[in-house]
Amino acid sequence: MKQYDIKMKKSLGQNFLVEPQILQRLVEVAEIDSETTVIEIGPGIGALTEFLALSAKKVLAFEIDQRFVNILQDTLSPYENVEVIHRDILKVDFSQSDYAYLHQSKRLVVVANLPYYITTPIIMHLLASQLSFDSLVMMMQKEVAERMTAQVGTKAYNSLTVAIQLQMKAELAFIVPPTVFMPRPNVDSAVLKLTSLENPSHNFKNSRSFQQFVQACFKQRRKTLWNNLKVYYPNQEATYLESCFAKADISPSRRAETLNLDEFIKLFNILSERN
Ligand code: SAM
C-alpha cells in the first residue's frame, strides 16, 4: 500500500487479511483443487487471490476499486489463471454470455473476505444468479454468520436464516479475531461455508413472494404469527386465515422463530392457494 501510496477506504469495507494461515485455511475449507473455478469478491491487493490461484483451475475476481485493479495487474502478473474484473459484484449479471463457461465448470466455488457493509446483498445476489455453486466460503461479521447458521427457536433465527437455509446447508467453519486484519475491524469475524443442498425441500413457484411472506412473519418478532399475518393479508377474512392455519396444523399463536423451514413452506403454500 505504501509502495503505491494508497489509503484504505472504510466505506468500501477494506480490511485486508494479513495472516497467511487464515488465507490457507480458506483455501482448505473451500476444498479447491485443479478442477475448481473460483469466483472471488473484492481481491483488494490480491493476498487471498494468490493463494487461490496456486490451487485452482481459474480465479475470476471482481473488484470495485480501480486503484486495486491497477495494483493487481502487477502483483498477479505471474498467474495466468487469474482474471480481474473491475466491477461492482452487485451489478454483475452471470446470465450474460461472457460468463457462460461458469455454468459448465466442473466445480464452482466462491471464496471471499467480503466487504461487510453489503454481506447479505452479495450472498442473495449470488444465490439468485442461477450458477450451480458447490460451495461459498466467505469471511463476514461473526454475528451475521451466526444468523445464517441459526437453529429454530434461537434468538439469532430470523428471515435471513430461512432465506439461506432454503437453498444451502450453512456451517460456521471458524471464528477469526480482529488481529488478523489491517486495519482491524471493530467486530469479530467468522468464515461461513454454504454448500448446495442435494434435495432442496421447497416446491413452490415464486420464491420472491415466499421471502416476503417469511419477512412478514418475523415483522414484529415478539408478536404471534396471527398478528403479523393479519397485517400482511389485510383483505382476507379471519375465518379464512384460521382455516389455513388449521389445514397447515400450525397454531396461529406461535411465533415465527418457532417454525422450521418445512412449516413455513407448508403455511405459505396453503395461504397462496387463494392469494
Ligand atoms: N481480499 C482482500 C483480503 O482478504 O485481504 C480484501 C478484502 S476487503 C474485506 C473487501 C474488498 O472488497 C475490498 O478490496 C473492496 O474494495 C472490495 N469491494 C467492496 N465493495 C465491493 C463491490 N460492491 N464489488 C466488488 N468488490 C467490492
Side-chain angles (χ1 to χ4, degrees):
M1 301 289 287
K2 261 198 195 131
Q3 185 187 331
Y4 290 89
D5 194 23
I6 285 187
K7 293 227 158 50
M8 308 262 197
K9 285 188 187 162
K10 225 177 167 180
S11 63
L12 289 178
Q14 293 173 351
N15 298 90
F16 289 179
L17 275 166
V18 290
E19 174 57 69
Q21 275 176 5
I22 302 284
L23 300 169
Q24 186 56 40
R25 270 184 92 181
L26 282 164
V27 173
E28 283 162 16
V29 171
E31 298 172 73
I32 295 168
D33 61 21
S34 57
E35 294 190 324
T36 309
T37 301
V38 184
I39 296 178
E40 187 191 0
I41 296 135
I45 54 171
L48 176 60
T49 323
E50 220 172 322
F51 271 77
L52 297 171
L54 288 168
S55 310
K57 180 175 182 203
K58 179 174 169 83
V59 182
L60 182 60
F62 295 93
E63 174 56 61
I64 200 170
D65 192 330
Q66 177 69 56
R67 302 171 308 163
F68 295 146
V69 177
N70 298 339
I71 297 177
L72 290 168
Q73 266 152 15
D74 282 353
T75 53
L76 297 176
S77 60
Y79 301 96
E80 287 178 2
N81 59 344
V82 180
E83 186 181 346
V84 178
I85 300 185
H86 176 216
R87 196 155 307 154
D88 176 347
I89 185 66
L90 295 177
K91 300 206 171 118
V92 177
D93 176 1
F94 286 106
S95 66
Q96 283 185 344
S97 57
D98 296 2
Y99 304 114
Y101 71 94
L102 292 176
H103 295 265
Q104 265 98 54
S105 50
K106 195 152 185 193
R107 282 196 83 241
L108 180 63
V109 305
V110 172
V111 184
N113 172 17
L114 289 175
Y116 292 179
Y117 74 110
I118 44 169
T119 298
T120 304
I122 289 177
I123 297 178
M124 298 322 271
H125 180 67
L126 294 169
L127 295 184
S129 71
Q130 306 290 335
L131 288 171
S132 310
F133 297 110
D134 288 83
S135 63
L136 298 94
V137 174
M138 296 161 299
M139 180 86 72
M140 61 189 67
Q141 193 177 329
K142 184 172 144 233
E143 223 180 14
V144 180
E146 283 170 349
R147 248 178 266 149
M148 294 187 184
T149 52
Q151 301 293 312
V152 184
T154 61
K155 219 169 144 191
Y157 186 74
N158 68 2
S159 57
L160 179 62
T161 320
V162 177
I164 297 292
Q165 296 183 11
L166 185 66
Q167 294 192 56
M168 310 295 281
K169 180 176 145 215
E171 297 163 276
L172 211 151
F174 59 97
I175 309 266
V176 183
T179 46
V180 302
F181 297 92
M182 205 194 81
R184 293 180 184 178
N186 297 325
V187 290
D188 275 336
S189 301
V191 173
L192 177 81
K193 180 173 187 180
L194 300 178
T195 317
S196 281
L197 290 175
E198 288 194 358
N199 301 305
S201 62
H202 53 284
N203 56 344
F204 47 79
K205 291 191 190 94
N206 191 338
S207 71
R208 200 183 160 84
S209 52
F210 176 70
Q211 308 293 359
Q212 286 165 354
F213 166 79
V214 176
Q215 277 166 15
C217 292
F218 278 100
K219 182 111 194 219
Q220 300 232 38
R221 216 186 148 85
R222 294 163 64 92
K223 288 200 171 176
T224 61
L225 285 171
W226 177 260
N227 283 326
N228 279 326
L229 289 179
K230 225 171 42 178
V231 177
Y232 189 60
Y233 295 112
N235 301 323
Q236 301 298 348
E237 327 73 88
T239 48
Y240 170 70
L241 289 182
E242 272 164 8
S243 71
C244 291
F245 275 105
K247 205 167 158 188
D249 198 19
I250 291 170
S251 163
S253 62
R254 285 171 63 181
R255 290 191 184 147
E257 70 200 44
T258 70
L259 261 63
N260 64 30
L261 192 54
D262 289 339
E263 289 178 311
F264 274 117
I265 293 171
K266 189 158 64 161
L267 188 58
F268 172 74
N269 280 341
I270 291 170
L271 281 160
S272 305
E273 282 168 15
R274 187 158 142 188
N275 288 289

